[in-house]
Amino acid sequence: MPYFDAASAAPLHPVARQALMASLDEGWADPGRLYREGRRARLLLDAAREAAAEVVGCRADELVFTGSGTGAVHSGIAGALAGRRRTGPHLIVSAVEHSSVLHAAEVHRDGGGSVTEVAVERTGAVRPSGYAEALRPDTALACLQSANHEVGTVQPVAEVAEVCRAAGVPLLVDAAQSLGWGPVEGGWSLLAASAHKWGGPSGVGLLVVRKGVRFAPQGPRDERESGRAAGFENLPAIVAAAASLRAVRAEAAEQAVRLRELTERIRARVPGLVPDVEVVGDPERRLPGIVTFSCLYVDGETVLHELDRAGFSVSSGSSCTSSTLTPSHVLRAMGVLSEGNVRVSLPSDTREEDVERFLTVLPEVVAGVREKLGAPASPPPAPAEDRTETLVIDAVGRRCPIPVIELAKAIGTVPVGATIRVLADDEAARLDIPAWCEMRNQEYSGEEPAPQGTAYLIRRTN
């Protein structure tokens, strides 16, 4: 069964497996003890730290291992904010950061701090000028991911780091998605990453704090990991994480060429195989193994279940499912279609024939889901004369993609120039109706309050 969700967790790298098994015999003792077994464990820990630091491009004494990538992010943000509390309480993040960063920002805001979210372009990338405009005299820290976890867009970290450096503000980089592919360029100050993203074992993160960065670890102090990560080190997993990081980096150039060709094949062919599809993310500045697209008139959860039944493990950035009405914060910030979102992220051992079979199965899956939901194949013809009329579609209480499907059915029944008023209380409609209008070259006239939910106004222009 092809596994196409490496952006969530990459399969364990063979080198990680070998290192893990070997260190289970050698690295079980307390590395803080002075007897023989402890010294042996300490040598393994120091070697792992030096290997990871070499790959990251930092000093070994700047890097500590944590219990997860999320833990590294939370510790990094809290420690940097506390270390610069005399500067002020202002934090800057991008609107498309991983939830671990946004959750930390929310806690900071709840504690009396202030947070500025920098908007992104439709490709998912920030502009360095956005960070320059967000900087204030009381800015203590800025955060930016190196590459987006949902759409693969690579961020201009070096340029943003230069903007922050000129203002004397440290930049924390969440490098979880990109560290296995190459070093993070630029003058960043702090960096966090997670081993299971590059083929290491889960439960290992790393946090780098450059020398000279004011940092005050929060919570009860621990003598381990420079006081920045409490608890007994999971030494076998740390050794496996460092070994696999070095291994995947050595293979990165060759693997990038192969996976980029496969994802480019998906990116180029899906719009021709499946009608009404929007491929999202930057077409050039993106990670090699990730391609993301959204399909009109389907919900992502159903598509994922059907693909799973067909033998493919993929994920979705869309949260428009039976469990929630809130679309992905990344897709919302980008202003792209959220319904029917599919993220394909290929592991290093992906075969060409599996990609080809995916491209064969996908059109059948999407067509089947659309048929079940009653989606229109094409709008019926309508009079061409310009006329001002209003048609009301009541989709209150109906979840996506139903409001958009009803709009698509109705657009061909009204004359050119007429307005359709869609009533909906699904938060995803705020994103998907304008996106549908852009895809269909119809005029989105905005929204206005309604007795229940919101009224979305669409004018037929063609």
Side-chain angles (χ1 to χ4, degrees), residues 30-42:
D30 186 346
R33 300 306 177 187
L34 298 179
Y35 42 71
R36 181 180 56 209
E37 293 87 355
R39 295 196 305 272
R40 186 184 301 135
R42 185 72 202 186

Side-chain angles (χ1 to χ4, degrees), residues 202-216:
S202 58
V204 180
L206 59 84
L207 172 64
V208 178
V209 182
R210 295 283 200 190
K211 292 296 182 182
V213 176
R214 291 186 177 275
F215 192 88

Side-chain angles (χ1 to χ4, degrees), residues 73-92:
V73 166
H74 291 172
S75 297
I77 292 176
L81 287 172
R84 286 175 47 84
R85 56 182 172 272
R86 290 185 179 180
T87 299
H90 183 228
L91 171 66
I92 302 173

